[in-house]
Amino acid sequence: MTEAATRAISVIIPHYQDLDRLNLCLSALSAQQGDLDFEIVVADNMSPCGEAAVIAAIAGRARLAIATERGAGPTRNAGVAASCGGVLAFTDSDCVPDPGWLAAGVAALAKQDFVGGKMIVLVPDTARMTGAEAFERVFAFNNRRYVEEEGFTVTANLFCPRTLFDRVGGFRTGLSEDLEWCRRATDAGYRIGYVEEAVVGHPARANWAELVGKWRRINAETFGLFVSRRHGRLQWALRNLALPLSVLRHAPMVMRSAALPGLATRLRALGTLARIRLWRMGDAYRLLFRRP
């Protein structure tokens, strides 16, 4: 048995061509509080910078696994396959876990079968946010609601025993992998819980292009989930037809948000809210009526 095989916890980090943020993530993990026996496995999805550059960025703080199948889901699966801990803790290479993240998440598994923690949105300067950053400060990563109302957690902040992961199976690709995996787990009878003390920071999308890139991916993955079920295409059409009305419903949330300083920032967020919801509706119908 190798030294790695004796680890109690394996932290799994999928990575693709983001060395600076990977360095920040690994530094945050190196500063975890508590007497924890854990390893870190970075699963690289064939980054163009090359394996040597990834190894240099890791700088001895983690083990490296290479994922040859494209996609975040297969990359996480490759990290799990290369790991040895009895508990799996998932985060992303662009995330910054708080010092108490790992201890809080692992402790919560004593009460729930698998758990998700709190997500916060990071911006470089809260006094000078772009419209995209301000929008994300209000709407991105409400993981408490995801866990408690929708029954899933984002994979940037997920804890589960290895035995549970093995029974549920790995992440899939081409759809909303976090939602789909958690639904498989809960359908199998496992209970999900939320742990406020397990905090992970995620950078906000800085501009319109980054925000559209995010939602193009989410739309495509969510559409994949809808069309796999009965009457899914009709449900998709009706769901996205309501997006313009959601702007009116969520506008007061923007104007009252304590995360946004000043009227100008709130107005930028409000403009981005309207713009992205209309874009999402158009993209949703593009997916619905595109040729196979």
Side-chain angles (χ1 to χ4, degrees):
M1 181 177 292
T2 65
E3 180 183 352
T6 67
R7 299 296 190 186
I9 308 159
S10 294
V11 181
I12 310 299
I13 306 172
H15 171 262
Y16 180 79
Q17 197 70 6
D18 197 357
L19 298 178
D20 289 341
R21 284 178 170 165
L22 175 62
N23 176 57
L24 292 175
C25 180
L26 292 173
S27 295
L29 289 170
S30 298
Q32 291 297 293
Q33 298 171 346
D35 185 16
L36 301 169
D37 179 28
F38 70 98
E39 64 170 354
I40 304 170
V41 178
V42 173
D44 183 69
N45 199 194
M46 306 291 288
S47 292
C49 62
E51 185 175 333
V54 179
I55 292 172
I58 289 173
R61 294 170 292 183
R63 294 193 295 115
L64 176 64
I66 301 298
T68 56
E69 183 181 352
R70 291 296 184 188
T75 304
R76 289 188 180 90
N77 295 340
V80 172
S83 69
C84 302
V87 171
L88 302 175
F90 294 92
T91 191
D92 289 345
S93 60
D94 58 353
C95 289
V96 181
D98 273 13
W101 171 70
L102 195 54
V106 171
L109 291 176
K111 297 181 180 179
Q112 300 289 345
D113 296 324
F114 67 109
V115 300
K118 181 178 180 178
M119 297 294 298
I120 59 174
V121 177
L122 306 175
V123 296
D125 185 352
T126 56
R128 299 183 180 183
M129 283 185 272
T130 66
E133 289 171 339
F135 170 82
E136 289 238 306
R137 288 276 284 185
V138 179
F139 293 103
F141 298 112
N142 187 347
N143 211 36
R144 177 189 286 275
R145 181 176 64 81
Y146 299 162
V147 171
E148 296 181 348
E149 298 180 19
E150 301 187 32
F152 81 98
T153 175
V154 295
T155 40
N157 197 343
L158 164 64
F159 293 81
C160 71
R162 179 181 292 274
T163 52
L164 186 155
F165 187 88
D166 289 343
R167 290 167 186 161
V168 172
F171 297 102
R172 296 172 183 168
T173 191
L175 39 74
S176 297
E177 65 194 42
D178 46 11
L179 176 60
E180 193 276 337
W181 187 89
C182 291
R183 291 281 167 82
R184 268 190 284 140
T186 54
D187 286 348
Y190 294 109
R191 298 168 303 152
I192 186 173
Y194 178 74
V195 52
E196 181 81 8
E197 297 79 13
V199 182
V200 168
H202 189 290
R205 271 66 183 185
N207 52 51
W208 176 250
E210 290 183 7
L211 195 61
V212 165
K214 168 187 173 179
W215 280 103
R216 181 177 287 114
R217 171 182 56 80
I218 292 175
N219 261 8
E221 292 173 347
T222 308
F223 181 68
L225 285 178
F226 269 76
V227 297
S228 66
R229 62 200 194 199
R230 189 180 181 188
H231 305 309
R233 297 179 73 89
L234 176 60
Q235 293 169 4
W236 177 260
L238 295 175
R239 173 184 188 260
N240 285 282
L241 193 62
L243 277 172
L245 294 176
S246 73
V247 176
L248 298 176
R249 182 162 61 92
H250 288 147
M253 185 187 306
V254 173
M255 299 308 292
R256 293 194 301 261
S257 176
L260 303 179
L263 178 61
T265 303
R266 288 181 170 84
L267 291 176
R268 285 195 293 272
L270 193 61
T272 303
L273 167 66
R275 189 180 178 191
I276 197 63
R277 295 286 168 84
L278 292 173
W279 182 93
R280 283 174 55 191
M281 184 177 71
D283 187 64
Y285 282 92
R286 176 190 65 82
L287 291 167
L288 185 64
F289 294 117
R290 70 181 176 181
R291 293 181 179 180

